[in-house]
Amino acid sequence: MTLTLALLMAAQVTTGAPTTDGAATPAAAPTTVVEGTTPAQEEEDEGSATAATAATRDIYVTARRRSEQAQNVPIPLSVVGVKELDSTGSFNVARLAQLQPTLQFYSTNPRNSSVNIRGLGAPLGLTNDGIDQGVGVYIDQVYLSRVAVATLDFLDVAQIETLRGPQGTLYGKNTVAGAINITSKAPSFTFGGRAEVTLGNLEFKQAKASVTGPLADDVAIRLGLTTTSRRGTIYNVATNSYVNSQDNIGLRAAILYKPVDGLSFTLAGDYSRQNPECCAQVFVRVGSTQRALNRQYDALARAQGYEPPSRNAFERLTDLDAELNARNVLGGLSLRGEYELGGGTLTSVTAWRFWDWLPANDRDFTGLPITTLSQNPTRQDQYTQEFRYAGEGRNLDYVAGVFAFYQDIHTTGTQRQGPAASRWLINPSSALASDPSVLNGLTAENDIRLKNFSGAVFGKLNWKLTEQLTLSPGVRLNYDDKVGSYNSIVRDGQGNLVPYSGGTPRQAAQRDAIQPQSFSGEAYRAWNVTYDFTAAYKPSRDVLTYATYAHTFKSGGLNLNGVPVVNGVVQTQLAQIAPEKVDHFELGVKSQFWDRKATLNVTGFWTEIRDYQAVVNNSSTSTLRGYLANAGRVRVRGVEADFAIRPSDRLNLYVNGAFTDGRYIDFRNAPCPPELSGGGTPTAANPTIGAPGQPGTNSPVVCDISGQWLPGISKFAFSYGGEYNLPTQVLGQTGEAYVGVDASTRTKFSSNASRSIYTDVGGYTLTNARLGFRTDSGVNLFGWVRNLFDAEYYEVLATTPGNTGLIAGNVGDPRTYGVTLGLSF
């Protein structure tokens, strides 16, 4: 079963107290600014609040589309405020994940990113525009369909709520794994602001600033800015430069208009840009496959006199010779209107958002000119409209709404082979392997399009039968319409078209390297119904128990990275992907004791998914990075337990833990791991399958991986830490000195869709520390160290194309340190 420890000091939290129900945040004063925050509260949060002076107050969340005390919400959730984000250096989702054991984030570049909760959400390492994410990301009630937003810096954020488990009857899209609900700071009619500057090693520089105030009696404005830069952590000996750098900037503006009491409009716009030289994965190891020995990495490298700059990934060296780029731009406009009507609030949220992605990669992962150009720039526009009414009666409250979503995605890409491609990709026994012109200049030009409409009607009712017992049914009717096309035209170095099948041996070799294919007009259209039911029982003021059942869907989709081509025939039957069908069970208890100085929240859950959308690789070197297939059934179960204690205003401590068991229950036609790939095809004359990693033997066509681990899930994960402060004076300024430590530990996890002996990532612990002084006047100066003990760890490992046995990976950040100066007014 899967466990998580939910930490929240909700009712009497003062500065420095844990502010989460899913992850106690050990930093400065808890931030409770949420939608509907009053100007007085906003002003208080702009200023400083030390442990000696902060007002005690409850933690409020909008998880159920209304403002409620977090401990009264029968949903396992975590809440992190702005002060916790700043003091722990959690300026993006990757950093935030270190505070929350069951939030996972994996990324090889902004597009190839996965945000998962309890191991569910998106297949690890998948790049495919034709499917939905399982974790919904919402900023100011606007759904963002691009997970690339998770790699950007948080921009003028007030609070982040992470909701675990299906939320499809409350949020705009089916969110089968959970939702991340980000609330920006609201404009205030009281003038205020804050600024923060950070300097660190690796040339790290970060600045944040925001200001708010009135423009008129009924109009207020807020402006925010953030910028981050850092030298890369990998040295490229081919270009004599550091790569995998950071170069981010973000801008946000919001105008609040309140013409009369009970009516308000908020117009907001934002722009965020990353433009680093990124993203390099370094040589990790060679793992033998079943390919002929002279076609595996070491033999191929020797044949061209090549050796990687280092076989120790933690020397952080690479020699990639193709251009690297990861420009990632997102932005948009939204208009939210809120009108107090009857016994509730009518809300309208209208938004347009865009995403521009301009990448460049080295697809061969070596310093040889095998693939000299690889890039698939993408433009996406999305439009959303939501109407929602949150009403309240004597013994019940409810939320009902309609939601519409439309997106248009266009990807145009190019892959070009270089002069070393023939000797690397063609069987050395063929005379064509010694002729560089066969593959040199071979180019694929791709055109990928998707138009997607999604509409839903949803509602949630909380019926209070007694003072202790509340029943909460929810339902959602959803419709999806996706139409897509994939076209890959391949030409040789002389500009001649490479046919889909047939032709000369030279053309067959070119097709083995890059397979042309085309399909258009593929469509997925379907209705589905999501429903859930929660019973919550509150035997006392400080204890809440609840049980939930949810039946939900993750929308079906299209394979828009191409599908296999067999004997020249495009397998268009694989273009459509069935929806995931999810059954979810949950039991939980939220409790506080010792005069609410301690909080213990425990959740047990069991989730089963039929037709799980899994990554399938075609095990050949081609433009196809993978295609999707539906696994029969997967299961994730576990227990989460979060504990927080604040014995005095001087000290707070927390520990969050999770035990998670995620497995394929039925997946009999899965892609094989690299050690069982690349060999010959079994025949009646020679049916024997070779031993794993045995060169020159037969490989199975498919593998039964039923019972194996789901990728990305550690069986045990923990986050823990605390902060101690002491009142003092420095240079005549009254305030407090403080020291804080936060750590996260996770055990081994699989980093490949089909678990491989080469791609398990070993467990590791990361420890962060800070030491500082903050004043009643709003000054906060502290030094910090991240990865204090300089742990060497991988964020993700990946098999590379072609079954050569090369394993590449993303090494985690080394020890970093710096100083931060913040000022609030």
Side-chain angles (χ1 to χ4, degrees), residues 102 104 113-124 126 131-136 147 174-178 554-555 580 582 607 609 612-613 634 636 710-711 713:
T102 49
Q104 296 103 16
S113 299
S114 301
V115 178
N116 286 354
I117 294 175
R118 296 169 172 169
L120 301 175
L124 187 62
L126 175 70
I131 64 166
D132 292 348
Q133 302 298 317
V135 174
V147 74
N174 279 334
T175 50
V176 298
K554 178 181 172 184
S555 299
E580 294 182 350
V582 182
T607 304
I609 301 179
Y612 178 71
Q613 295 171 353
V634 304
V636 179
L710 284 173
I713 301 177

Side-chain angles (χ1 to χ4, degrees), residues 91-92 110 139 144 148-157 182 184 224-228 247-253 269-276 326-333 353-357 379:
F91 59 84
N92 57 28
I139 297 181
L144 278 69
V149 71
T151 68
L152 294 167
D153 293 357
F154 295 138
L155 178 56
D156 208 19
V157 167
I182 301 174
S184 302
L225 165 71
T226 180
T227 177
T228 302
D247 181 9
N248 305 347
I249 189 170
L251 306 167
R252 182 178 184 272
D270 65 276
Y271 173 88
S272 296
R273 186 223 68 196
Q274 288 177 322
N275 194 27
R327 196 189 73 177
N328 184 35
V329 182
L330 298 103
L333 296 170
R353 297 202 62 82
F354 73 90
W355 176 57
D356 275 328
W357 168 237
R379 169 74 187 203

Side-chain angles (χ1 to χ4, degrees), residues 716-796:
F716 294 97
F718 302 93
S719 63
Y720 43 95
E723 183 179 288
Y724 179 75
N725 65 73
L726 188 65
T728 188
Q729 282 194 345
V730 175
L731 300 176
Q733 295 289 315
T734 300
E736 62 187 22
Y738 61 93
V739 60
V741 176
D742 307 290
S744 61
T745 297
R746 63 180 306 180
T747 57
K748 179 170 63 177
F749 65 91
S750 169
S751 188
N752 198 55
S754 297
R755 191 181 179 192
S756 168
I757 59 177
Y758 305 133
T759 57
D760 276 358
V761 175
Y764 56 86
T765 295
L766 301 177
T767 305
N768 309 321
R770 61 191 177 277
L771 175 66
F773 174 74
R774 53 191 172 226
T775 73
D776 296 337
S777 60
V779 176
N780 188 14
L781 175 65
F782 63 97
W784 50 267
V785 182
R786 295 189 64 83
N787 192 3
L788 176 64
F789 301 109
D790 203 19
E792 295 182 341
Y793 66 101
Y794 296 108
E795 295 178 340
V796 66

Side-chain angles (χ1 to χ4, degrees), residues 241-542:
S241 63
Y242 285 94
V243 297
N244 293 9
S245 58
Q246 293 178 359
D247 181 9
N248 305 347
I249 189 170
L251 306 167
R252 182 178 184 272
I255 297 176
L256 171 64
Y257 174 46
K258 301 184 71 173
V260 295
D261 289 342
L263 176 63
S264 66
F265 297 94
T266 302
L267 176 66
D270 65 276
Y271 173 88
S272 296
R273 186 223 68 196
Q274 288 177 322
N275 194 27
E277 188 177 358
C278 190
C279 298
Q281 293 177 277
V282 299
F283 178 103
V284 173
R285 65 174 300 181
V286 175
S288 295
T289 72
Q290 293 176 320
R291 210 179 197 198
L293 189 60
N294 64 351
R295 300 200 68 190
Q296 298 200 34
Y297 180 85
D298 286 330
L300 291 168
R302 282 194 302 269
Q304 301 204 44
Y306 173 74
E307 176 65 19
S310 175
R311 289 185 176 240
N312 177 2
F314 295 102
E315 288 187 355
R316 302 177 183 274
L317 296 175
T318 189
D319 61 349
L320 301 183
D321 57 335
E323 179 187 0
L324 295 179
N325 189 46
R327 196 189 73 177
N328 184 35
V329 182
L330 298 103
L333 296 170
S334 67
L335 176 64
R336 184 174 75 246
E338 295 175 309
Y339 178 47
E340 293 181 9
L341 179 65
T345 301
L346 177 65
T347 300
S348 170
V349 184
T350 306
W352 160 74
R353 297 202 62 82
F354 73 90
W355 176 57
D356 275 328
W357 168 237
L358 182 61
N361 306 296
D362 193 324
R363 287 279 294 142
D364 57 60
F365 300 88
T366 74
L368 290 169
I370 301 169
T371 301
T372 56
L373 178 64
S374 178
Q375 48 85 27
N376 280 279
T378 299
R379 169 74 187 203
Q380 181 242 11
D381 289 273
Q382 72 162 61
Y383 305 85
T384 56
Q385 175 63 59
E386 183 172 358
F387 294 104
R388 187 177 66 249
Y389 184 76
E392 189 170 353
R394 182 176 179 182
N395 294 316
L396 57 85
D397 59 70
Y398 56 90
V399 174
V402 295
F403 172 79
F405 166 85
Y406 177 78
Q407 68 172 337
D408 189 336
I409 304 177
H410 186 197
T411 299
T412 55
T414 306
Q415 177 172 325
R416 181 174 298 120
Q417 303 305 114
S422 293
R423 296 189 67 182
W424 191 269
L425 301 176
I426 300 175
N427 191 327
S429 63
S430 169
L432 296 173
S434 60
D435 182 356
S437 70
V438 176
L439 298 185
N440 188 22
L442 184 71
T443 302
E445 295 179 346
N446 305 322
D447 187 273
I448 308 168
R449 298 173 186 265
L450 173 71
K451 296 183 185 295
N452 172 204
F453 170 79
S454 180
V457 179
F458 61 95
K460 184 80 171 180
L461 172 69
N462 300 311
W463 181 21
K464 195 171 185 178
L465 270 69
T466 69
E467 287 298 317
Q468 291 78 34
L469 178 63
T470 301
L471 302 181
S472 303
V475 66
R476 172 190 179 88
L477 176 64
N478 191 85
Y479 176 72
D480 286 292
D481 188 326
K482 299 179 180 180
V483 179
S485 62
Y486 178 91
N487 293 283
S488 181
I489 298 173
V490 180
R491 290 181 171 87
D492 64 19
Q494 292 72 47
N496 302 309
L497 285 173
V498 175
Y500 291 108
S501 61
T504 66
R506 183 185 182 95
Q507 289 173 326
Q510 292 166 344
R511 199 163 46 244
D512 285 342
I514 303 179
Q515 173 67 58
Q517 66 169 282
S518 176
F519 61 83
S520 61
E522 289 296 325
Y524 170 84
R525 298 182 176 94
W527 293 86
N528 61 64
V529 177
T530 288
Y531 51 89
D532 57 44
F533 183 83
T534 298
Y537 182 70
K538 196 173 177 65
S540 68
R541 182 189 70 165
D542 296 330

